[in-house]
Amino acid sequence: MERWLADNVPDLVGADVISTGRATDKLFADAQKQGIEGAEIVEETGKGSVYETILDAVVHHHGPRLAD
């Protein structure tokens, strides 16, 4: 999920509710293409809300910071 956020959040800076919702849909679609189940994405957020995680990343975006 961190990689996806780093690759996609810069395009979402200043995003509204609708575009954040679309980004959430895109995350799940991209994950499915990689064979990753939606439940795994939800579990990785630690919050249970993928939408909230993406919105938080947009609001606090300061450039990509990936974990090693």
Side-chain angles (χ1 to χ4, degrees):
M1 183 159 187
E2 285 184 41
R3 168 62 65 191
W4 189 92
L5 288 171
D7 290 345
N8 290 276
V9 166
D11 297 334
L12 295 172
V13 174
D16 58 20
V17 172
I18 293 170
S19 56
T20 303
R22 288 183 181 147
T24 303
D25 293 341
K26 182 179 184 323
L27 170 63
F28 280 105
D30 290 349
Q32 186 176 21
K33 289 176 190 174
Q34 298 288 325
I36 300 168
E37 297 290 327
E40 187 176 340
I41 298 294
V42 171
E43 183 179 306
E44 189 173 331
T45 67
K47 300 177 184 180
S49 173
V50 175
Y51 177 89
E52 186 178 324
T53 300
I54 292 173
L55 187 58
D56 186 56
V58 169
V59 169
H60 297 101
H61 175 71
H62 298 292
R65 284 186 273 180
L66 296 176
D68 293 327

